[in-house]
Amino acid sequence: MGKTSKDKRDIYYRLAKEEGWRARSAFKLLQIDEKFHILKDVTRAVDLCAAPGSWTQVLSKRLYENRTNNEEVKIIAVDLQAMAPLPGVTQLQGDITKLSTAQAIIDHFGGESQKAQLVICDGAPDVTGLHDIDEYIQSQLLLAALSITTHVLMTGGNFVAKIFRGKDTNLLYSQLRIFFEKVSIAKPASSRNSSIEAFVVCQNYRCPDGYIPQMINPMIDDVQMIVNATDSSVNQKLIPFVVCGDLRGFDSDMSYSLNLNEDSEYTYKEVVQKPISPAYKEILEKLKNCSIKHSAITIKHEDEAVTTESASNDDSK
Amino acid sequence: METVLTIADSIAIKLLRGAILTGVGNELHLYSSKTCNRTVLAQRLRAKVHGITEVSLGNIETEGGKIIVHGEKECMLMEYDYTDNEYTFRELNRFQLSDWISSASFLQDSNEFMLLTAHSVVLRILYEESKDRGNSCRIISMCSSSDKSTLYCSHIHGRSFDDLVIFAGNAFGELLIWQPFKGNSSSHKIDCKTTQVELMCRQPAHNGVIFSIDYNDEFDLLTTTSDDRSIRFWKVERKTNHSWSELKLNVLASGYGHIARVFKGKIINCDGTAFAVTVSEDSHTCIWSSSAELLLKKRIQFGAVIWNFEYDSETNTLYSVGSTGNLLALNIENIIKSNTNTTSSMVAMSNLEPKEYVAKAKFIDHSIIVGITNKNRLIYSFLHNNEPKFTQKVGSWQIIDQHKAFKCTVFEVQDKIVAICGYKRLTLLKYNSTGVFKKLFDDNITDGVIRSFHFLDNNDFLISDEDGKCLLIEGEDLKARFYISLPHCKEPWTTSALRIKSKNSKEYLLISNRMGNIILFRLNCVSGECNYLHTIRQLHGALGATFFRLQELQNDNIFVQSAGHDGSLRLLCINVDSDTISAYQRTPVPVTWVEHLIVFENYEFLLGFNDNHFVVWSQEHDFSVQIPCGGGHRCWHYSIISDDNNTKWLQLLFIKNKQLRVYKQKLFNLTALTTKQLRNQWHTRSCNIMSVVEINNTETSASILISAGDDNVIKVTKLMPRNRLSQCAELHSHISNIRALKVLQVKPNKVLIFSGGGRAQLCIAQLNLKSFRIQELLSYTLNKTERNKDERLNSYKINPETRIMACDVIKRNLNHSLEDVEYLVFLCCSDGFLRKVHFTGTFEVVAEVAFHYGCCLLQIRTFGNAYVVTAGTDGKIRFFNSNMSELPIILAHHGSGVNAMDIFYDSNDNCLHIITGGDDQSVSYSSILVQENGVFQIKSKFELENVHSAQVTAVQFIFYHKTLYAYSSGLDQNINKINVQKQTASIICHTTISDIKGLCIGSSKRCFIYGCGIQIFQLE
């Protein structure tokens, strides 16, 4: 595999590097906006699970465009992880399942009357390989995002989040329908055809009568209607599937030549933002100096000294 | 639809007495370790089984108990009875929660149990039987933790309601410990007491998700495993044994032994010593001491992800389950018990001269070693085995020959004959059972140094010298009968040789030289001539083949296996009519240097070296021996012993640091619960495409599955009676994952397999449906010449290496002859081109044509031997003729990619039916009238928008009672039956297969659904 093979296999990965986006997912939000105009006239927006920050980048670019009164624009990026700073964005390192985080967002926007007009969430877990768990974890992330959204979103506001389509997605759509007038499933052209991801675009937030915004926990929820929302066929029919992005544009499943057009010559570019602290980072560091093909690395924590133990009296060649 | 067979993730496992319960997909399976039988107990859950909890209620006379089976939000309570070695199970109750069930545990009263949800809510549930109201499960109290993060794993400790401790792990690597029902804030709701308690401990434990937690109170030891590839050992310190307040966790040690995520780790107690076992995504298990020292690392699931395991302390056996649904056993007694049954001994050198050491040594039989010292003395010694104690004793060296006339270059032993070769001279000795070595031959026979010696068969030997001159010696008188001169090169001598007599008495000699060439000769016994016939160049790379083994002698074909230092096993075929040899099939093996192949009970075992380890490997048993020996560049030999229990032992000798070492290790035990009966050999990664060939003739009727997937393997599998899958053949010609497959029947017993995938690779192979031999005919890389041009001109390869997404083939007879044919192979390519490769009947490329399509193509089908239908990521259906000219008709079927397509061409009314499934969750149908003049006219069209709730990835037409139906499925795991005439669809069943890639319905009315696993249904 050559250095450029990913550039050829994944056009949006390459374009993201060339246009300075932190991740290819930036194009997904841009393509959703092309169709739904969710960024139009928005001055207060929240990006949940923001790291590495490509959606925040889109907000930071588009919300300040053609605007004279920049101080009106308020963008908050929330994540548990630290994220490299972006111009015009307030970062909040916090947990989206905590009420305090919701309060901090509301305070930043200037109180109850100045709630967010748009909440977006592109967060996803590392997939385990068991689709049922992955789909469940993603749905819980979405519910957590929805919970905090019910606190911070103003009536009439919009909410966009990633979902994994699978066997239980109808239930999720039904739950979202309780809070929004219109719910659509969007598949941007930059999201691969083979990928299970799609996006829910929820428009016109309207809190149901008697509902007190809270952190939704599936088991101990007082609001039974959320738990009991069913995947009835009536509900299904209300959810339109919308393909976003110009299909005559770039195809995310297609491999492209490095020479996209005749005039410009291809130059290789490094990624804008590398992963900050992946789980495998430590082991990769350790494996730079030794192999664990037949042995293991043992760390005794009392003295934190590293010793390499072999599988069996493994004398070297 | 009735489920016939399920191969899916197996995540849950529980050991019962003499039996094992596992979850396979949504099914509960019971394996009897005595009879090796598997029974499907329940298919009642919709979700995959994620956990099984058991409580035994037995006394001496009768045994029985209860189990909780849970998956996702569903829970099932069952009871079992165990009498006369028979298990019977009965469902008591089944219910569903509104959240994921993380773990379950019975309380002391077995009518009560606890369920813990993934958001840290503990439910105390009471099971009641009532004559009036039936069986029921009722929540009697509920308690939640102050932490609400989504749990990835949990462990409930304790059987008493007042003293439960919950250990849980989340995505942020935090270990959460709390005691439910110990808090103060409680409220009553109807008849259920609800409380919320504070966490006792929040311990940052890993950099990444915690996948498993185990706690053992005998050692106060806790283990966690994680995304970060480690197992971590913790000491749990408590103030008193009865109190969990003032809890302290001390991290002791971490072990990094896996190269992927560690999904499960458990503590095992062996005679009072704590060990830990981990299993991982990398298909390996590691056994650790409690201070995180690695004791064993072994691949145990043939490359499949391992989800879980259980340890049986009575038999010291680990039972693991993984992503292919297999339950596999590994005995670890010799690792955790001190009386190890691996023995090693160093042979004493006492009676050798000073500075004299054994330079070469071999076994004559399992108890006699013969060797040559650096001072050219021939010696031997007896090896005494003391079986009960697993010890070996080596006697002192006996000197056979004081003669030191020549330096030994080659030393070989077989059938008690010892061959010693040197400059010009060959000595052959035969060992007599009395301990006497009889000289058979001792003379100068060549002009130079002898470099190789091969035992052919009865008293036939081949020697070869440094000039490439070979002598074949045979007969009682040991005369040189044939003289062969090998081609001149740097090291022109042989590496292996095989003499074969065909069924019509033709004699062949097959040799390999150090250039890696395989050369076939014909031996004419009358004239004494040896004639060169044919060469395969560089088959096993440099150093040549290490062995040849005659596999099968047919009338017209002779099959020979060979291997070398290139990590692959080759099948060669000598055609007796044409006197030619061809490379038939290549199988990559995980042994880098293959040295020998031995066969026991029809299993082929490869002996060889991996890095600095000596290994024994077989397709069926994986690695059964791994001995660190320092590498393969040394003198070594083996012998196999079988004991009274039919246990095979391997004896290995090798010389390292001028010392002779002998190892003895159990090879495998045939009477133990072997994997032979139970193991399926299905794809270890996702199966992307499959084709079913139904054989229906007078002799047999069977369904043959030809499948390919992300594991780069094409498998040929037969659906056996009693619904078992049996693998017939494997094809390893692809270097990347396979997405495209077309099976073309050319003769009643012969099919051609066209396959395509990553790295622009198209492969063609021929499969014999009777013998299940596969011949690799061609591996072709698309667009190669153009890419080579790129490389010369630029520093980067500008054009992408395309992936083949789908393929179909038109076979045409030329000149009205059945023999004279050509093949037009149409390929969907990810670089946005539709390609056609034109092959002759012997698979020579005539032309490669490309058409710029504009988007990634996903589907292709040919019909009427003249037309091609395609679909791509743009959701449109387009048509071409066989010359790749596009026809002026486009059907818009979907808003985005077409993930599945089937066509049915009715030549009676010239009507083409097309059905597609899309990424946009809809199913779309069109029918087209193909007019005589080649003009296409749309007859009808409809779209079903809401039949699936996720992308549709599988569709197929089927005729049933003269009505056209279609079946569809997708990522929502529902199977829909579509009535094409009525334009209606209805869900007929739910499958446990996730990430469905397609479905196949054969003439046997079976529906095969594949993706992450395979499920087979019998249609009504």
Side-chain angles (χ1 to χ4, degrees):
Chain A
M1 282 288 167
K3 181 164 109 166
T4 60
S5 68
K6 202 170 175 193
D7 278 3
K8 285 182 268 194
R9 270 187 295 135
D10 191 339
I11 185 72
Y12 285 102
Y13 168 80
R14 177 183 163 191
L15 292 177
K17 291 193 300 178
E18 290 179 356
E19 295 177 18
W21 301 110
R22 289 182 177 183
R24 66 195 291 289
S25 58
F27 294 105
K28 299 174 190 169
L29 184 60
L30 289 169
Q31 286 170 337
I32 290 169
D33 180 51
E34 243 172 69
K35 199 87 188 178
F36 292 91
H37 311 291
I38 46 159
L39 301 180
K40 195 172 171 246
D41 301 328
V42 169
T43 53
R44 299 182 303 277
V46 183
D47 185 5
L48 302 171
C49 308
S54 63
W55 276 27
T56 318
Q57 263 186 304
V58 174
L59 291 180
S60 139
K61 188 159 180 280
R62 297 291 300 278
L63 265 48
Y64 288 100
E65 256 171 16
N66 310 322
R67 191 171 285 282
T68 45
N69 45 351
N70 275 352
E71 60 280 3
E72 259 184 36
V73 176
K74 282 179 177 158
I75 301 167
I76 303 183
V78 186
D79 206 295
L80 271 176
Q81 293 177 31
M83 190 173 97
L86 281 166
V89 174
T90 308
Q91 281 194 37
L92 199 64
Q93 204 170 342
D95 184 346
I96 62 163
T97 64
K98 292 262 155 39
L99 258 178
S100 53
T101 310
Q103 200 51 53
I105 295 170
I106 295 169
D107 292 346
H108 179 78
F109 286 139
E112 292 292 324
S113 59
Q114 292 284 302
K115 283 188 177 180
Q117 295 155 308
L118 174 71
V119 179
I120 55 176
C121 176
D122 190 33
D126 283 344
V127 294
T128 60
L130 284 172
H131 284 248
D132 47 6
I133 293 185
D134 297 339
E135 200 192 321
Y136 171 75
I137 299 281
Q138 182 62 31
S139 72
Q140 294 313 302
L141 193 65
L142 179 86
L143 278 186
L146 176 67
S147 297
I148 196 163
T149 300
T150 59
H151 287 274
V152 304
L153 191 64
M154 68 174 214
T155 302
N158 298 335
F159 173 60
V160 178
K162 190 203 291 270
I163 56 160
F164 285 170
R165 286 187 286 167
K167 59 195 170 67
D168 293 327
T169 29
N170 275 342
L171 176 66
L172 266 183
Y173 300 151
S174 310
Q175 291 171 338
L176 292 167
R177 286 274 301 142
I178 297 169
F179 297 97
F180 293 91
E181 186 189 40
K182 195 177 165 205
V183 178
S184 316
I185 318 158
K187 182 77 176 176
S190 51
S191 171
R192 281 171 178 257
N193 187 60
S194 47
S195 155
I196 58 168
E197 79 168 8
F199 295 86
V200 281
V201 180
C202 308
Q203 289 165 293
N204 200 2
Y205 174 64
R206 35 153 214 214
C207 186
D209 286 342
Y211 179 82
I212 305 149
Q214 60 186 295
M215 291 301 159
I216 301 165
N217 183 328
M219 263 324 284
I220 48 166
D221 210 322
D222 287 333
V223 186
Q224 283 299 310
M225 62 178 172
I226 296 169
V227 176
N228 297 335
T230 57
D231 47 336
S232 67
S233 54
V234 184
N235 270 330
Q236 278 182 43
K237 286 202 167 57
L238 297 169
I239 314 293
F241 185 94
V242 183
V243 178
C244 319
D246 190 350
L247 276 175
R248 282 158 301 164
F250 289 113
D251 177 354
S252 58
D253 289 86
M254 191 158 129
S255 318
Y256 285 88
S257 163
L258 292 180
N259 283 338
L260 278 178
N261 58 56
E262 307 270 306
D263 316 324
S264 62
E265 199 174 296
Y266 171 81
T267 46
Y268 179 79
K269 287 201 170 61
E270 291 292 334
V271 289
V272 178
Q273 184 80 47
K274 285 191 172 152
I276 295 170
S277 175
Y280 47 82
K281 188 178 150 194
E282 212 178 321
I283 181 75
L284 287 189
E285 281 294 319
K286 292 189 172 87
L287 290 183
K288 276 181 187 164
N289 306 317
C290 64
S291 151
I292 56 165
K293 196 169 173 188
H294 295 284
S295 58
I297 300 165
T298 301
I299 299 168
K300 311 268 185 197
H301 290 284
E302 295 98 317
D303 44 318
E304 289 290 332
V306 180
T307 53
T308 306
E309 284 294 328
S310 55
S312 37
N313 310 318
D314 186 351
D315 356 10
S316 53
K317 272 182 200 175
Chain B
M1 289 205 298
E2 185 201 343
T3 313
V4 169
L5 177 130
T6 304
I7 291 175
D9 287 299
S10 184
I11 312 158
I13 172 167
K14 194 84 222 164
L15 301 184
L16 302 178
R17 201 167 113 182
I20 302 159
L21 279 173
T22 66
V24 176
N26 63 334
E27 297 176 350
L28 187 65
H29 290 196
L30 180 78
Y31 296 82
S32 160
S33 25
K34 212 167 229 164
T35 59
C36 285
N37 265 345
R38 176 179 58 195
T39 31
V40 178
L41 288 178
Q43 303 169 317
R44 299 294 298 276
L45 295 184
R46 193 180 149 92
K48 277 183 181 154
V49 177
H50 278 260
I52 306 169
T53 305
E54 185 250 356
V55 63
S56 162
L57 303 169
N59 50 43
I60 297 157
E61 287 96 53
T62 61
E63 249 190 85
K66 285 199 180 106
I67 58 165
I68 300 164
V69 181
H70 62 90
E72 300 190 22
K73 299 167 184 175
E74 292 173 87
C75 180
M76 179 163 69
L77 183 69
M78 296 176 93
E79 73 175 2
Y80 70 85
D81 177 61
Y82 182 62
T83 32
D84 303 329
N85 294 327
E86 283 282 336
Y87 275 95
T88 43
F89 281 79
R90 187 167 74 95
E91 183 186 318
L92 298 177
N93 198 243
R94 203 148 44 92
F95 58 92
Q96 188 167 356
L97 299 182
S98 53
D99 197 11
W100 187 284
I101 301 165
S102 179
S103 45
S105 167
F106 281 100
L107 291 175
Q108 267 152 351
D109 172 0
S110 72
N111 282 325
E112 281 190 37
F113 56 93
M114 318 297 297
L115 294 178
L116 170 68
T117 73
H119 286 88
S120 293
V121 177
V122 173
L123 306 170
R124 182 181 182 184
I125 295 173
L126 176 69
Y127 169 71
E128 287 170 313
E129 287 182 3
S130 151
K131 278 200 177 113
D132 322 323
R133 286 166 297 157
N135 304 340
S136 67
C137 281
R138 188 161 60 85
I139 299 174
I140 50 175
S141 42
M142 212 154 95
C143 179
S144 68
S145 143
S146 53
D147 182 275
K148 300 286 188 291
S149 54
T150 311
L151 306 180
Y152 271 74
C153 67
S154 59
H155 176 82
I156 305 176
H157 177 73
R159 288 282 303 275
S160 132
F161 170 71
D162 306 319
D163 214 18
L164 291 174
V165 184
I166 309 281
F167 300 90
N170 64 19
F172 318 120
E174 289 175 337
L175 178 61
L176 312 170
I177 307 175
W178 58 290
Q179 272 197 293
F181 308 110
K182 288 261 164 159
N184 34 25
S185 65
S186 68
S187 64
H188 280 274
K189 266 195 212 168
I190 318 164
D191 54 350
C192 169
K193 191 181 169 214
T194 309
T195 51
Q196 178 170 327
V197 298
E198 290 296 317
L199 278 184
M200 291 194 301
C201 175
R202 180 193 296 271
Q203 173 73 46
H206 288 274
N207 177 26
V209 178
I210 300 181
F211 285 115
S212 82
I213 301 170
D214 196 19
Y215 170 69
N216 185 306
D217 56 2
E218 291 159 303
F219 306 109
D220 282 322
L221 189 66
L222 186 117
T223 57
T224 49
T225 65
S226 163
D227 213 3
D228 67 12
R229 279 68 163 154
S230 71
I231 176 171
R232 201 153 277 191
F233 293 77
W234 307 80
K235 187 89 189 162
V236 180
E237 281 181 20
R238 291 193 277 160
K239 210 168 185 188
T240 67
N241 270 348
H242 304 288
S243 163
W244 283 88
S245 55
E246 295 181 51
L247 174 77
K248 219 179 132 197
L249 279 178
N250 288 324
V251 59
L252 297 173
S254 304
Y256 291 83
H258 294 283
I259 51 160
R261 292 177 287 187
V262 188
F263 283 131
K264 195 66 89 176
K266 284 180 190 173
I267 301 163
I268 61 174
N269 180 346
C270 176
D271 305 332
T273 310
F275 296 90
V277 179
T278 51
V279 292
S280 155
E281 195 177 12
D282 64 10
S283 209
H284 281 68
T285 185
C286 287
I287 301 176
W288 308 87
S289 74
S290 57
S291 51
E293 268 135 19
L294 184 71
L295 305 173
L296 176 85
K297 178 170 176 170
K298 198 166 190 287
R299 199 173 88 140
I300 54 167
Q301 279 265 359
F302 301 91
V305 175
I306 313 177
W307 295 120
N308 205 343
F309 69 94
E310 278 276 282
Y311 171 68
D312 180 1
S313 57
E314 270 176 38
T315 58
N316 302 304
T317 307
L318 279 187
Y319 293 98
S320 63
V321 288
S323 60
T324 46
N326 278 318
L327 170 68
L328 298 173
L330 173 72
N331 191 296
I332 56 167
E333 184 177 353
N334 59 341
I335 308 299
I336 57 171
K337 296 256 164 139
S338 44
N339 59 336
T340 165
N341 60 4
T342 304
T343 61
S344 97
S345 56
M346 254 185 263
V347 179
M349 306 281 167
S350 55
N351 53 341
L352 295 180
E353 288 173 10
K355 293 196 178 169
E356 186 178 27
Y357 57 88
V358 184
K360 294 184 170 71
K362 303 268 173 187
F363 285 108
I364 285 189
D365 64 24
H366 66 88
S367 62
I368 305 165
I369 299 170
V370 61
I372 276 200
T373 69
N374 60 330
K375 303 204 167 165
N376 292 315
R377 293 203 295 175
L378 189 64
I379 53 175
Y380 76 99
S381 174
F382 291 98
L383 200 61
H384 305 285
N385 279 306
N386 187 347
E387 295 293 351
K389 287 187 174 170
F390 300 110
T391 57
Q392 283 175 312
K393 214 177 111 192
V394 180
S396 58
W397 290 110
Q398 313 283 313
I399 287 133
I400 305 165
D401 196 2
Q402 292 280 5
H403 193 64
K404 299 182 192 176
F406 68 99
K407 184 168 165 53
C408 169
T409 51
V410 179
F411 181 66
E412 298 288 346
V413 177
Q414 191 178 307
D415 300 329
K416 299 193 176 174
I417 293 175
V418 182
I420 306 140
C421 311
Y423 177 62
K424 292 186 179 178
R425 182 165 167 184
L426 168 70
T427 306
L428 291 174
L429 302 171
K430 174 126 188 171
Y431 177 76
N432 276 346
S433 50
T434 50
V436 179
F437 286 83
K438 183 187 161 197
K439 199 168 277 181
L440 300 178
F441 185 94
D442 188 16
D443 206 350
N444 286 352
I445 54 165
T446 61
D447 301 330
V449 177
I450 301 175
R451 287 294 177 189
S452 69
F453 180 95
H454 310 289
F455 290 92
L456 297 174
D457 44 45
N458 317 320
N459 296 331
D460 285 20
F461 314 104
L462 184 82
I463 63 161
S464 140
D465 71 9
E466 58 188 340
D467 301 320
K469 281 182 190 138
C470 300
L471 296 176
L472 198 158
I473 302 164
E474 66 172 359
E476 290 292 314
D477 53 349
L478 296 172
K479 276 259 172 73
R481 290 281 147 79
F482 296 97
Y483 296 87
I484 306 144
S485 227
L486 293 182
H488 192 74
C489 59
K490 196 180 160 204
E491 293 179 323
W493 54 89
T494 58
T495 60
S496 59
L498 181 72
R499 184 176 182 172
I500 314 154
K501 197 169 191 175
S502 75
K503 285 205 168 167
N504 60 1
S505 296
K506 270 190 183 178
E507 289 227 33
Y508 293 104
L509 178 71
L510 189 62
I511 65 119
S512 161
N513 68 9
R514 284 178 68 87
M515 296 292 286
N517 297 341
I518 308 283
I519 311 169
L520 182 70
F521 295 95
R522 170 91 187 268
L523 298 177
N524 190 325
C525 294
V526 182
S527 66
E529 280 175 7
C530 179
N531 306 103
Y532 166 81
L533 294 176
H534 197 197
T535 303
I536 305 175
R537 297 186 64 80
Q538 308 226 316
L539 190 72
H540 285 291
L543 299 180
T546 47
F547 69 85
F548 290 119
R549 172 176 174 260
L550 179 63
Q551 197 204 39
E552 195 188 347
L553 208 56
Q554 295 179 348
N555 285 333
D556 43 1
N557 286 316
I558 299 167
F559 289 96
V560 175
Q561 286 168 301
S562 72
H565 289 182
D566 59 347
S568 72
L569 188 64
R570 295 275 193 165
L571 185 66
L572 312 172
C573 178
I574 301 171
N575 187 293
V576 179
D577 290 336
S578 64
D579 282 338
T580 53
I581 185 161
S582 58
Y584 212 76
Q585 209 191 339
R586 176 181 175 272
T587 311
V589 290
V591 182
T592 329
W593 284 20
V594 186
E595 299 283 350
H596 273 287
L597 189 156
I598 51 177
V599 179
F600 293 122
E601 321 262 334
N602 296 325
Y603 297 123
E604 291 175 350
F605 287 84
L606 297 183
L607 277 60
F609 296 90
N610 258 346
D611 305 321
N612 50 6
H613 282 61
F614 173 82
V615 296
V616 178
W617 177 88
S618 75
Q619 195 86 51
E620 293 80 12
H621 301 83
D622 217 337
F623 289 104
S624 32
V625 172
Q626 295 188 69
I627 296 171
C629 68
H633 280 296
R634 61 193 70 239
C635 181
W636 68 279
H637 202 218
Y638 72 96
S639 84
I640 306 284
I641 321 160
S642 190
D643 69 12
D644 305 337
N645 306 324
N646 203 15
T647 304
K648 302 277 180 196
W649 295 78
L650 174 104
Q651 276 193 152
L652 176 76
L653 73 73
F654 58 89
I655 292 163
K656 187 173 169 184
N657 300 334
K658 296 180 184 171
Q659 283 174 325
L660 179 70
R661 293 165 195 234
V662 181
Y663 269 84
K664 187 176 167 187
Q665 198 173 327
K666 200 185 268 180
L667 192 56
F668 70 106
N669 190 347
L670 286 173
T671 53
L673 175 70
T674 60
T675 51
K676 182 190 165 194
Q677 294 281 317
L678 304 173
R679 181 188 159 211
N680 69 65
Q681 296 184 60
W682 194 244
H683 297 277
T684 53
R685 298 273 177 274
S686 168
C687 169
N688 291 331
I689 184 130
M690 191 174 97
S691 196
V692 180
V693 180
E694 305 271 4
I695 302 178
N696 261 319
N697 54 36
T698 46
E699 291 164 48
T700 160
S701 100
S703 299
I704 309 292
L705 281 55
I706 299 169
S707 56
D710 279 350
D711 55 0
N712 308 358
V713 183
I714 296 175
K715 285 183 185 268
V716 180
T717 313
K718 193 172 176 179
L719 183 63
M720 305 292 280
R722 293 198 293 137
N723 300 316
R724 208 168 59 79
L725 284 182
S726 163
Q727 182 168 310
C728 305
E730 262 186 4
L731 184 60
H732 292 264
S733 47
H734 279 270
I735 53 167
S736 182
N737 47 24
I738 310 162
R739 290 157 193 271
L741 185 74
K742 169 70 184 179
V743 177
L744 195 69
Q745 192 140 11
V746 285
K747 281 181 187 154
N749 270 326
K750 261 182 196 165
V751 293
L752 289 174
I753 301 172
F754 296 81
S755 55
R759 315 284 296 273
Q761 193 187 12
L762 167 72
C763 291
I764 307 174
Q766 179 175 282
L767 168 71
N768 184 315
L769 291 173
K770 232 176 179 172
S771 66
F772 292 109
R773 282 198 185 276
I774 294 188
Q775 182 176 12
E776 292 173 23
L777 299 172
L778 178 87
S779 171
Y780 177 77
T781 308
L782 290 176
N783 212 4
K784 204 164 190 177
T785 45
E786 199 176 302
R787 274 197 289 123
N788 286 345
K789 224 188 293 166
D790 270 0
E791 275 167 61
R792 281 197 301 273
L793 293 173
N794 289 295
S795 52
Y796 296 125
K797 295 179 196 168
I798 291 298
N799 283 326
E801 202 172 42
T802 183
R803 252 169 299 141
I804 298 173
M805 308 297 284
C807 75
D808 205 352
V809 181
I810 292 178
K811 179 190 168 198
R812 285 209 291 223
N813 297 323
L814 301 173
N815 311 321
H816 306 288
S817 140
L818 282 177
E819 292 301 311
D820 201 1
V821 294
E822 63 175 12
Y823 298 94
L824 305 177
V825 182
F826 294 90
L827 302 165
C828 291
C829 299
S830 70
D831 60 354
F833 281 89
L834 173 67
R835 287 192 173 82
K836 179 178 84 169
V837 190
H838 184 169
F839 290 101
T840 65
T842 52
F843 298 101
E844 273 142 33
V845 179
V846 178
E848 186 185 319
V849 187
F851 174 90
H852 187 252
Y853 195 87
C855 73
C856 177
L857 287 105
L858 298 171
Q859 308 292 332
I860 191 161
R861 292 296 292 272
T862 63
F863 69 95
N865 236 15
Y867 298 107
V868 180
V869 194
T870 60
T873 47
D874 60 357
K876 295 188 173 72
I877 311 285
R878 291 160 73 173
F879 297 85
F880 296 82
N881 66 23
S882 60
N883 298 326
M884 301 273 279
S885 318
E886 188 166 8
L887 304 177
I889 176 170
I890 292 180
L891 306 173
H893 261 217
H894 297 280
S896 55
V898 180
N899 290 327
M901 177 170 85
D902 194 25
I903 62 165
F904 173 74
Y905 181 59
D906 191 344
S907 50
N908 295 322
D909 60 359
N910 293 330
C911 183
L912 176 74
H913 304 264
I914 306 170
I915 191 154
T916 56
D919 180 67
D920 60 1
Q921 312 181 181
S922 70
V923 174
S924 207
Y925 165 89
S926 299
S927 65
I928 285 166
L929 185 65
V930 180
Q931 291 168 338
E932 299 280 319
N933 54 5
V935 174
F936 287 20
Q937 187 192 340
I938 300 171
K939 267 176 75 180
S940 65
K941 197 171 183 300
F942 68 85
E943 191 180 349
L944 298 168
E945 275 182 39
N946 295 304
V947 291
H948 289 281
S949 63
Q951 47 273 66
V952 184
T953 52
V955 283
Q956 190 178 337
F957 281 124
I958 183 168
F959 255 107
Y960 194 65
H961 294 311
K962 292 182 182 170
T963 310
L964 189 61
Y965 289 92
Y967 285 87
S968 69
S969 192
L971 295 198
D972 62 357
Q973 298 173 223
N974 287 330
I975 302 170
N976 268 288
K977 187 176 180 180
I978 298 160
N979 184 322
V980 175
Q981 266 83 350
K982 290 186 179 161
Q983 308 190 2
T984 55
S986 56
I987 294 175
I988 52 163
C989 91
H990 182 79
T991 169
T992 194
I993 303 298
S994 55
D995 204 4
I996 291 168
K997 293 287 167 68
L999 67 81
C1000 274
I1001 300 166
S1003 57
S1004 59
K1005 285 274 179 342
R1006 286 195 196 94
C1007 175
F1008 302 83
I1009 297 224
Y1010 55 90
C1012 291
I1014 179 168
Q1015 200 162 30
I1016 307 174
F1017 296 94
Q1018 186 71 52
L1019 300 181
E1020 67 272 44

